[in-house]
Amino acid sequence: MSVANIIVDGKPYSIEGAESKNLLEACLSLGLDLPYFCWHPAMHSVGACRQCGVKLYKDEADARGRIAMACMTPVVNGLRASIEDPEARAFRAGIIEWLMVNHPHDCPICDEGGECHLQDMTVMTGHVRRRYRFEKRTHRSQDLGPFVAHEMNRCIQCYRCVRFYRDYAGGKDLDVQGWHDSVFFGRTEDGALESQFSGNLCEVCPTGVFTDKVQASRPTRKWDLRTSPSVCPHCAVGCSTLPGERYGELRRVRPRYNADVNGCFLCDRGRFGQAFADSGDRLRHCLVKEAGGQVPAPREAAIAAARAALSKPGAIGIGSPRASLETNFALRSLVGADRFFVAISDGELALHRLMRDVLRAAGRRVASPREAELSDAVLVLGEDVWNGAPILALRLRQASRNAPNETAMREKRIPAWDDAALREAVQDRPGPFFVASPGPGPLDECAEASYRAAPDDIARLGYAVAAFIDPTCPAPEGMGEEREALARRIASALMRAKRPLVVSGSGLASAALVGAAAAVLSALVAAGQDARICLVFPEANSLGAAMLAAGGLESAARLLAGAPEPAALVVAEADLSRAAVRGDGPSLMALAVATIVLDHSPSATSREADLVLPAATLLEGSGTFLSFEGRAQRFIALRPCEFPVQDGWRTLDELAAPGREPRSLDGILAAIASELPELAAIVDAAPPSTFRMLGKKIPRGARRESGRTSMHANLDPRDPDPRLDPDSGLAYSMEGAIAAPPSLLSRYWAPGWNSDQSLHKFQSEVGGALRPSAAGEGAEIGARIFGGETGRAALRELAFGGAGAGAPGIPAAFARRGDALLVLPRRFAFGSEELSAKSPALATRIPEPRLFICPPDAARLGLTEGASAEIRFEGADSVPQVLRVAISDLPEGVAELPWGLPALPGAPLASWAAVRPSKEAAR
Amino acid sequence: MATPLSARMPAGGGAASFAGYRAAGGYLGLARARELGAPAVQEAVKASGLRGRGGAGFPTAMKWAAVPPPDGGERYLVVNADEKEPGTMKDRYLMEGDPHQLIEGLAIAATAIGAGTAFIYLRREYTRCALELEKAVGEARVAGLLEGLRLHLHLGAGRYLCGEETGLLNAIEGKRAVPRNKPPFPQVSGLWGRPTVVNNVETLCNLPHIMREGPEWFKALSASSDGGTKIYGASGWVASPGLWELPLGVSAGEVLERAGGMHPGRALRAFLPGGASTDFLPASKLDVKMDFDSVAAAGSRLGTGTMVVLDDRTCPVGMVLSLERFFARESCGWCTPCREGLPWVRRSLEALESGEGEMGDIEILEHHARSLVPGRTFCALAPGAMEPLASALKLFREDFEDHVARKGCRYK
């Protein structure tokens, strides 16, 4: 890293890592205010808007200087610049004047108003008077679907939307059209934006062209939103979120900057999925089953009934991969560790435990999403990262350019921040990036080579790669020349790389794939490579649940069936009917003497329960999720619970210890840490509830929040006392500390920077980690539980099995089984995840369920696109399903069935099935 | 007086034939270049003092020298035949009249930089040129003269910015024709990120003669310190508009003489010496030598060397409006000052011309003339567009003010 000494407005500064910075980034990192539009911390410079013009001077003697764009100026030793030079200031005000020529100035009715980068920059430059006296150009805006509203007349043509949507996120259906002063950013016709990252346009756009359509249904200014640091519950990546509420209603979800996990962005499932928490059918009362069905009951009565049911010995608990560690742990404490199960099948749990063991052995080589993005060679083994872990996929998409970018930077001396020049030099030539999966996906376009095969064959490819890297590893036999050549090519690419990465996960329900990923990692480590691994779990807390549970649903049913006398069943935040087992869900409830369900949203399970206790969602409750990389991250309640709803863990703790006050979050966390030492780090995921900044709590509200004394005046004219938050260092108030540590940061705002672009005021440097607070908290958000030295022997044992532990070892080549097809689960960005599917906006994007089969199989079975097919799973006594057929590019003998869609919940994972044409209409 | 560029053009129009071109020594320059090899060709062109004829006057050999040493990968030569500057039609004249001269020239340039592939990016409206070039390329190919060179004739879809060398490269790649930031220069990262040289048609047409006759001969053709002849032109109210090949560095007056002077009844008021994006020079500067440095010293640019005259019966505001309409329409929309500034200039001029002008409009025009300068805009389009405006505001200020005072145009 080179250090450059530069002078800005007469003051000397020392810039570290100067070779990778431009002057704009350096100035912002120094805390200097310099306006910009087309530059973006994640997408860097193109020099289009000309807003960041500064004066540059050749040397000390140069008094005249010249105007140059800071974003296109490399930081070199001896650089002399002036931001405050009058000519430079006038130039920047002139740029705003030009941008304002056509801008409609409709701030009062614009959803961006009050957090608009264009407003901020306008004020910053001092441009105040419109001299333009002619007509403005206008555009017709488009309907871009349920997520994003479009108002093209506000556009200032910074090109960030298309640079994000197309270049950064790989979208195809948004583009720039037109010419001269009539440049249009939109689709060729009205229609929902196809990219699952479309919501990011709301922040990427510096003004109100792209705004949050869901928020627009109940418009709220940023300063009127109460916000709290939260974690996305819709996949295992664990993106940091910043939900905002007003009048107790969720108004929007925005990404919360987390350098290690999601950076600046969030996927649409995360952004638009949380409306489930405000669904009209939320469980808000205690329900007791009576002859005529469930009826509301007073909380005391319900708790008493629960205690009565639990007073008999042998009760078992079913926890959930979507519930917090605290709730799962509280249930485990209530029923006992050996009677605590998780609402997934035994097989799935075994796979998750194998993944946990691999991560544990990998230690510090478990990649965070940021580390994944820094990789310069990637092998994806089977996992559909795009749909299962979207932000990780977005990070991998950037990783695919690292190696070619580095070559271009070296050979053509292009700076790292010169985005357009790097893309030109690299073109679409992908780096060493390999995708092995049954079907095609959007990451294929990043790949140097894609390999289409059944899970076992993908695993064999992985094992073959491992054997080429480390000849002491056993190699699969009978690979064939072509596959062997591919394996050798992948192996040598991973070996040439500085930071190779292998990615797999539970998506295809294949232990062999996880074993193969472990084999590749162990081989790379043995070869001395600084390798990393990512294993994708399906849900927000799948890893956490796997660390606590004694077994899956089949084990639970066995225990319950074998109990000397009928016992109660307690289900926390799970719908048993969604689990990938046939028949066991209902039968488990039939085996129990009583079923108590704690949940926030109704499900097939809650509707059958004898007793329902309403639980908080993550918007009213606090807790911790363990992400796929073992990062414990705290979500902190956005709004207080309304009686009788309360945190699941609090209710369970109340049931566990009658007569004693339920423990606070800190108390539960301490209990987890002492009982499960491996999870001890979760205590440090965020500061405790006693945390104060200079004696003050951190406010959820903005200092200029309006209506505090009037918003409930129709109910009670008195100014209500602020609700208390016993579980965090945040207050339900607009008053309190003005700074916060990274994991408690509840809003981005700085004087003159009302929009989220104020982020750089909170970073140690542009694009870097958040600045630690004076209170001495770390810069990292959350705490990782894996991080020790890599256990190579353990990894290898897990990879090659034996001794009953670990993966099954190298599988035999995939062979078709007569006429049957191997039906694999296909996950969709919209619909496969249970909670987000309840969000009204997102529900409109859920695809129709289809059976995906390849053309030869379709021909053999007499099926065509759109035809009805009957699917009968082997060994399942359930009724066959009838679905329409979609022809897809899959290996022969392999079919895919959507997993988890509301219309098709709970299909077996990776099972053989007989498929034949059906006369019945598909549902 | 030697006129190597136009000597073979048939007097009655049409194109010089392949046979005629060869008989006159055609393709000997290419043979010589191939025999000498790239370094020697670059050396010869350097010695000849050839400067680019596209408008900027950058020394051709220096442009080539920036191409990095061969790395085994592809490198490209691109012929900028996207002639769209209002008032300029010199390249068309060369391509229609002697297509083989261009083909030989580009083959020599390809040799000089080691390019295996060449593109001719031709303005689509130049259909005659396309036909002649296609025919000529076929003839040269059949004659085995283009061995080792993949040559593509590409017809543009029609935007002024495609004539900007990096916008042109984006257009060939099928992207929006917006300019690229430099560095990296096209020589390092051009077409599809590979080393690329973009040369103007007239520039390349000089190469066969330099190779055949030698750099000293070429230098001697010129009446200036830069080598060669130049295709000069004159349009506007001159007696007979046209194009003439003259020694580089003849005076503007001599060019006007070739055009037979001004149209009867019209007197010269000022002229744009090098096309639409150059500053007006007043009639008093007719003695300026039409070479790169002399025109620059006089306060304008040689540009494409095709002058547009303003006579005493044409409204200078109207003439500038006509130019700014063109430039505002042809802005690519990439950078703010050009995209938003030029339409404002156009509307202000329209207001003046239509009698709705205010004194404030003149201030706005002056503001733009000061602001849209190199370095502040992304490429040279807007600064070029400001050259006629800025000079008109200086030379014809009373005309602008008169439009406001009179609420209209006195020339109408």
Side-chain angles (χ1 to χ4, degrees):
Chain A
M1 284 230 298
S2 68
V3 176
N5 294 310
I6 67 169
I7 294 177
V8 181
D9 286 318
K11 277 195 197 155
Y13 298 97
S14 183
I15 309 294
E16 276 180 39
E19 71 280 356
S20 62
K21 292 197 179 96
N22 59 56
L23 182 56
L24 173 62
E25 291 165 348
C27 288
L28 294 176
S29 294
L30 291 169
L32 304 171
D33 285 344
L34 180 55
Y36 62 85
F37 289 109
C38 66
W39 174 86
H40 184 281
M43 299 184 291
H44 310 297
S45 308
V46 291
C49 74
R50 318 309 273 178
Q51 184 60 63
C52 64
V54 294
K55 262 288 177 67
L56 288 188
Y57 303 94
K58 278 204 285 284
D59 48 41
E60 216 168 335
D62 180 7
R64 257 183 85 206
R66 66 180 173 93
I67 302 256
M69 299 310 122
C71 74
M72 299 304 277
T73 302
V75 176
V76 293
N77 207 26
L79 182 142
R80 311 175 81 88
S82 170
I83 297 173
E84 298 301 331
D85 169 79
E87 205 185 342
R89 291 186 67 107
F91 172 75
R92 294 195 299 266
I95 295 288
I96 291 284
E97 180 174 36
W98 279 317
L99 293 175
M100 283 291 165
V101 160
N102 290 307
H103 188 76
H105 255 157
D106 60 342
C107 308
I109 56 137
C110 174
D111 285 349
E112 194 85 356
E115 52 180 324
C116 173
H117 188 58
L118 177 59
Q119 282 181 335
D120 290 347
M121 299 299 99
T122 303
V123 172
M124 192 177 288
T125 60
H127 166 73
V128 289
R129 195 173 65 86
R130 179 189 295 274
R131 290 189 291 172
Y132 182 75
R133 64 185 187 90
F134 306 106
E135 263 181 28
K136 296 180 181 184
R137 69 101 178 84
T138 54
H139 290 290
R140 193 186 74 88
S141 299
Q142 293 178 319
D143 180 353
L144 298 178
F147 298 153
V148 178
H150 192 219
E151 178 42 87
M152 251 311 290
N153 290 326
R154 297 176 185 141
C155 181
I156 58 161
Q157 292 87 19
C158 71
Y159 290 80
R160 285 205 321 204
C161 57
V162 285
R163 291 179 56 222
F164 172 78
Y165 197 90
R166 301 181 69 89
D167 297 349
Y168 194 87
K172 303 280 183 272
D173 61 322
L174 181 89
D175 207 350
V176 46
Q177 300 152 39
W179 204 255
H180 48 81
D181 64 337
S182 182
V183 180
F184 184 86
F185 298 85
R187 288 166 44 90
T188 49
E189 55 182 11
D190 284 20
L193 288 169
E194 287 161 13
S195 169
Q196 57 168 333
F197 300 106
S198 69
N200 293 301
L201 293 175
C202 302
E203 289 96 50
V204 164
C205 175
T207 181
V209 178
F210 299 100
T211 51
D212 185 328
K213 203 183 248 184
V214 175
Q215 184 190 354
S217 64
R218 302 298 306 273
T220 314
R221 293 296 180 207
K222 180 183 181 180
W223 63 76
D224 280 341
L225 281 171
R226 288 196 167 180
T227 45
S228 72
S230 192
V231 179
C232 180
H234 300 307
C235 84
V237 174
C239 295
S240 291
T241 55
L242 207 54
E245 67 92 9
R246 176 86 169 155
Y247 289 97
E249 292 173 346
L250 177 72
R251 293 296 166 88
R252 72 173 184 202
V253 176
R254 287 214 156 182
R256 176 164 63 101
Y257 181 76
N258 184 335
D260 294 301
V261 181
N262 53 306
C264 300
F265 303 117
L266 198 58
C267 76
D268 288 353
R269 184 160 85 211
R271 187 183 294 258
F272 300 108
Q274 290 196 39
F276 76 88
D278 278 349
S279 173
D281 65 356
R282 268 285 303 274
L283 298 171
R284 297 183 195 276
H285 305 283
C286 302
L287 301 171
V288 177
K289 193 181 198 172
E290 289 185 355
Q294 291 174 339
V295 293
R299 187 164 194 279
E300 302 76 43
I303 292 286
R307 282 194 175 130
L310 290 168
S311 63
K312 298 191 186 83
I316 68 162
I318 308 289
S320 166
R322 63 168 162 86
S324 66
L325 274 172
E326 290 82 350
T327 293
N328 279 306
F329 178 80
L331 178 55
R332 183 176 180 267
S333 304
L334 174 66
V335 297
D338 52 348
R339 287 193 300 281
F340 174 70
F341 301 87
V342 61
I344 55 178
S345 69
D346 279 354
E348 222 184 329
L349 180 64
L351 179 59
H352 293 178
R353 282 177 170 166
L354 171 63
M355 289 160 68
R356 173 203 62 188
D357 293 344
V358 170
L359 296 179
R360 196 182 265 159
R364 64 180 180 83
R365 295 179 186 276
V366 178
S368 68
R370 176 172 173 273
E371 287 166 330
E373 179 172 333
L374 293 174
S375 305
D376 55 353
V378 178
L379 169 61
V380 180
L381 283 174
E383 189 67 15
D384 178 4
V385 189
W386 193 266
N387 286 297
I391 285 291
L392 178 62
L394 190 64
R395 293 261 191 181
L396 291 178
R397 194 180 145 79
Q398 316 315 315
S400 73
R401 302 185 69 87
N402 283 339
N405 275 356
E406 280 164 23
T407 306
M409 283 154 61
R410 193 177 57 244
E411 289 180 357
K412 298 185 193 292
R413 295 165 165 266
I414 300 172
W417 43 261
D418 192 344
D419 187 57
L422 275 180
R423 288 187 188 275
E424 181 54 43
V426 170
Q427 296 281 314
D428 292 326
R429 287 185 285 270
F433 194 98
F434 303 90
V435 177
S437 59
L443 275 182
D444 286 334
E445 73 175 35
C446 305
E448 181 188 316
S450 294
Y451 175 60
R452 297 280 98 87
D456 281 352
D457 286 343
I458 295 172
R460 285 164 61 80
L461 178 77
Y463 279 110
V465 169
F468 276 120
I469 293 168
D470 176 1
T472 69
C473 287
E477 280 166 24
M479 285 282 287
E481 224 168 89
E482 204 177 314
R483 289 179 206 187
E484 209 150 276
L486 177 62
R488 187 180 289 121
R489 182 169 151 206
I490 296 170
S492 76
L494 295 176
M495 283 306 291
R496 269 197 312 273
K498 292 194 285 285
R499 302 170 303 274
L501 173 74
V502 57
V503 180
S504 191
S506 62
L508 295 175
S510 163
L513 282 173
V514 174
V520 174
L521 179 69
S522 96
L524 284 167
V525 173
Q529 282 289 73
D530 186 14
R532 294 280 188 281
I533 188 169
C534 281
L535 294 178
V536 177
F537 287 83
E539 298 206 50
N541 200 26
S542 288
L543 175 58
M547 311 230 11
L548 295 174
L553 288 176
E554 293 93 328
S555 303
R558 273 197 303 277
L559 187 66
L560 208 50
E565 55 181 306
L569 176 69
V570 186
V571 182
E573 299 181 28
D575 178 2
L576 305 184
S577 74
R578 277 183 63 90
V581 278
R582 284 276 145 195
D584 291 290
S587 72
L588 190 59
M589 290 172 76
L591 287 167
V593 64
T595 301
I596 303 167
V597 170
L598 267 96
D599 210 340
H600 43 70
S601 304
S603 67
T605 305
S606 79
R607 277 187 280 270
E608 295 296 315
D610 299 292
L611 187 58
V612 177
L613 298 171
T617 66
L618 83 167
L619 295 183
E620 309 99 39
S622 299
T624 310
F625 287 144
L626 201 54
S627 80
F628 76 115
E629 50 156 334
R631 183 183 297 272
Q633 297 188 110
R634 192 95 72 246
F635 53 88
I636 291 171
L638 172 65
R639 56 193 180 192
C641 287
E642 297 302 332
F643 184 85
V645 176
Q646 68 176 17
D647 295 88
W649 50 264
R650 207 185 299 273
T651 302
L652 290 164
D653 202 43
E654 197 180 337
L655 292 175
R660 121 166 118 65
E661 264 298 291
R663 284 175 289 191
S664 70
L665 186 67
D666 291 342
I668 296 273
L669 285 167
I672 297 174
S674 79
E675 202 166 316
L676 297 148
E678 192 176 15
L679 294 177
I682 68 167
V683 174
D684 305 321
S689 61
T690 52
F691 182 85
R692 302 289 183 274
M693 293 291 290
L694 298 172
K696 290 177 184 165
K697 279 196 147 193
I698 295 150
R700 286 176 172 83
R703 278 194 286 173
R704 50 175 90 157
E705 183 183 76
S706 62
R708 176 173 58 87
T709 56
S710 63
M711 61 198 299
H712 301 293
N714 58 330
L715 304 173
D716 185 345
R718 288 169 299 184
D719 186 5
D721 286 337
R723 296 281 293 265
L724 298 178
D725 178 359
D727 299 319
S728 81
L730 266 71
Y732 293 109
S733 170
M734 57 198 276
E735 291 161 1
I738 51 168
S743 49
L744 293 185
L745 200 59
S746 64
R747 67 182 55 243
Y748 301 114
W749 180 87
W753 297 81
N754 295 294
S755 82
D756 291 358
Q757 296 290 315
S758 53
L759 171 64
H760 62 81
K761 298 285 184 194
F762 297 85
Q763 291 170 318
S764 50
E765 62 171 10
V766 160
L770 292 169
R771 224 183 358 251
S773 68
E777 299 297 322
E780 199 165 328
I781 294 178
R784 295 169 81 169
I785 63 163
F786 303 123
E789 266 316 303
T790 306
R792 258 165 56 193
L795 263 184
R796 194 169 162 143
E797 211 173 291
L798 288 165
F800 292 97
I810 303 174
F814 175 73
R816 300 179 40 177
R817 214 186 270 177
D819 262 356
L821 297 177
L822 177 64
V823 179
L824 300 172
R826 179 188 279 200
R827 275 165 219 274
F828 287 88
F830 304 127
S832 288
E833 193 273 326
E834 180 185 357
L835 297 178
S836 58
K838 297 174 192 277
S839 152
L842 199 133
T844 64
R845 299 290 310 280
I846 298 175
E848 289 291 313
R850 291 274 189 280
L851 176 73
F852 298 89
I853 54 176
C854 67
D857 283 335
R860 189 168 52 79
L861 297 167
L863 290 164
T864 52
E865 177 83 27
S868 285
E870 180 196 274
I871 308 135
R872 188 186 289 273
F873 287 100
E874 273 181 16
D877 48 5
S878 55
V879 280
Q881 298 188 9
V882 177
L883 280 179
R884 283 233 271 241
V885 163
I887 306 293
S888 184
D889 178 19
L890 290 165
E892 254 185 89
V894 171
E896 284 184 341
L897 194 63
W899 197 89
L901 297 192
L904 193 73
L909 295 163
S911 305
W912 290 92
V915 174
R916 62 176 193 196
S918 168
K919 290 200 176 63
E920 224 181 297
R923 35 180 210 168
Chain B
M1 190 181 68
T3 55
L5 296 177
S6 55
R8 291 159 306 281
M9 295 185 189
S17 71
F18 184 41
Y21 185 70
R22 294 205 80 168
Y27 289 104
L28 290 179
L30 175 59
R32 175 115 182 93
R34 286 181 172 160
E35 187 186 308
L36 287 173
V41 175
Q42 292 207 17
E43 206 45 54
V45 172
K46 188 177 174 189
S48 76
L50 175 65
R51 289 173 70 169
R53 304 291 197 243
F58 194 77
T60 305
M62 204 189 280
K63 196 174 207 177
W64 292 349
V67 177
D71 60 357
E74 189 61 274
R75 40 226 276 141
Y76 301 98
L77 176 81
V78 176
V79 182
N80 186 346
D82 196 49
E83 188 176 50
K84 289 212 185 73
E85 185 86 354
T88 300
M89 64 297 281
K90 64 181 182 70
D91 295 339
R92 172 181 167 188
Y93 172 66
L94 288 168
M95 290 184 284
E96 284 183 359
D98 200 351
H100 279 285
Q101 178 171 249
L102 172 62
I103 290 161
E104 184 180 2
L106 73 87
I108 292 169
T111 305
I113 62 162
T117 303
F119 287 87
I120 302 173
Y121 189 97
L122 181 67
R123 179 178 176 180
R124 180 171 290 274
E125 292 83 351
Y126 281 7
T127 46
R128 265 280 299 283
C129 297
L131 290 173
E132 295 296 351
L133 283 169
E134 247 174 46
K135 178 162 168 263
V137 169
E139 288 164 345
R141 203 171 265 155
V142 168
L145 294 164
L146 295 180
E147 258 162 41
L149 182 66
R150 286 175 295 277
L151 177 57
H152 305 279
L153 177 64
H154 180 92
L155 298 189
R159 274 291 164 190
Y160 179 62
L161 216 106
C162 299
E164 199 278 343
E165 67 173 1
T166 56
L168 186 156
L169 297 179
N170 278 337
I172 293 182
E173 289 184 31
K175 297 174 177 161
R176 284 173 68 82
V178 298
R180 299 177 184 171
N181 191 60
K182 295 184 263 194
F185 289 91
Q187 293 96 316
V188 173
S189 186
L191 262 186
W192 295 290
R194 296 294 309 165
T196 303
V197 164
V198 184
N199 282 145
N200 168 261
V201 169
E202 186 183 354
T203 312
L204 293 170
C205 286
N206 281 298
L207 298 178
H209 314 294
I210 295 171
M211 293 319 299
R212 206 175 54 237
E213 309 290 343
E216 288 314 313
W217 169 87
F218 186 77
K219 276 192 95 110
L221 291 175
S222 168
S224 76
S225 57
D226 305 316
T229 59
K230 177 83 193 76
I231 308 290
Y232 289 106
S235 58
W237 284 99
V238 294
S240 69
L243 293 157
W244 309 274
E245 183 180 7
L246 298 168
L248 185 61
V250 298
S251 72
E254 282 174 73
V255 177
L256 189 54
E257 234 168 74
R258 291 282 172 151
M262 293 302 288
H263 192 271
R266 306 239 174 192
L268 178 71
R269 192 164 174 205
F271 60 101
L272 302 169
S277 58
T278 58
D279 288 271
F280 280 103
L281 292 178
S284 60
K285 295 247 171 122
L286 261 187
D287 58 346
V288 69
K289 289 181 68 180
M290 292 281 278
D291 65 60
F292 296 104
D293 299 336
S294 307
V295 181
S300 186
R301 289 189 306 118
L302 177 62
T304 58
T306 48
M307 67 162 71
V308 185
V309 304
L310 171 69
D311 63 290
D312 58 345
R313 287 166 57 189
T314 299
C315 174
V317 178
M319 177 172 173
V320 173
L321 168 60
S322 157
L323 296 173
E324 299 305 336
R325 267 197 186 123
F326 172 81
F327 288 119
R329 192 189 73 212
E330 294 300 331
S331 167
C332 76
W334 176 246
C335 81
T336 307
C338 177
R339 180 186 64 241
E340 310 294 348
L342 295 183
W344 196 354
V345 165
R346 188 202 77 203
R347 284 171 189 269
S348 301
L349 289 166
E350 279 170 352
L352 289 170
E353 266 297 90
S354 63
E356 286 156 19
E358 300 168 0
M359 286 308 283
D361 295 333
I362 301 176
E363 272 172 44
I364 292 293
L365 293 175
E366 283 173 328
H367 166 71
H368 282 84
R370 273 195 311 272
S371 308
L372 301 180
V373 297
R376 302 190 182 193
T377 58
F378 194 89
C379 82
L381 188 148
M386 287 303 98
E387 289 182 21
L389 175 67
S391 50
L393 283 166
K394 276 193 213 111
L395 293 173
F396 319 119
R397 172 110 200 167
E398 69 284 2
D399 280 284
F400 284 84
E401 289 173 358
D402 182 65
H403 279 72
V404 178
R406 177 191 297 275
K407 294 199 184 304
C409 176
R410 71 183 163 96
Y411 296 90
K412 275 180 187 153

